[in-house]
Amino acid sequence: MCRNIKTLFNFEPPASEDEIHASALQFVRKLSGFNKPSQLNEAAFDRAVAEVSQAARKLLTSLHTNAPARDREVEAEKAKERSRLRFGT
């Protein structure tokens, strides 16, 4: 699916509104094929982003886990290491 959409569940601190919105925006861009919609499609595009954001927020607040919350910095370092191993950079 979208490699740019990041996992938002089970982090401390919880996902921010900006992170949820960015994820929804990326999802709607992928579905629609538009990076920036035309004026004719802008209202539908913006409405879809708002609805996906709302659904994502509802999902994130209703999920439960017994696993300890993950640390964003540690996860970012792991991702950098995976990238380094994969691409040799």
Side-chain angles (χ1 to χ4, degrees), residues 54-86:
Q54 182 180 11
R57 194 175 311 103
K58 183 187 271 188
L59 172 66
L60 291 172
T61 58
S62 65
L63 293 174
H64 302 282
T65 184
N66 291 326
R70 294 178 284 178
D71 183 288
R72 293 178 194 284
E73 292 177 15
V74 170
E75 295 300 319
E77 284 301 317
K78 288 180 186 178
K80 286 179 188 175
E81 180 63 17
R82 284 191 303 270
S83 178
R84 187 187 67 72
L85 293 173
R86 182 176 180 194

Side-chain angles (χ1 to χ4, degrees), residues 2-86:
C2 292
R3 286 181 273 160
N4 294 335
I5 296 178
K6 301 197 178 3
T7 301
L8 299 178
F9 176 62
N10 197 28
F11 280 99
E12 192 57 46
S16 69
E17 288 299 316
D18 287 342
E19 289 172 310
I20 293 170
H21 181 267
S23 181
L25 177 61
Q26 197 65 11
F27 182 73
V28 172
R29 283 178 174 166
K30 185 69 168 187
L31 286 177
S32 68
F34 299 134
N35 188 34
K36 180 168 176 29
S38 66
Q39 287 182 342
L40 184 63
N41 293 319
E42 191 171 16
F45 186 90
D46 291 344
R47 186 172 47 255
V49 172
E51 290 172 359
V52 170
S53 292
Q54 182 180 11
R57 194 175 311 103
K58 183 187 271 188
L59 172 66
L60 291 172
T61 58
S62 65
L63 293 174
H64 302 282
T65 184
N66 291 326
R70 294 178 284 178
D71 183 288
R72 293 178 194 284
E73 292 177 15
V74 170
E75 295 300 319
E77 284 301 317
K78 288 180 186 178
K80 286 179 188 175
E81 180 63 17
R82 284 191 303 270
S83 178
R84 187 187 67 72
L85 293 173
R86 182 176 180 194

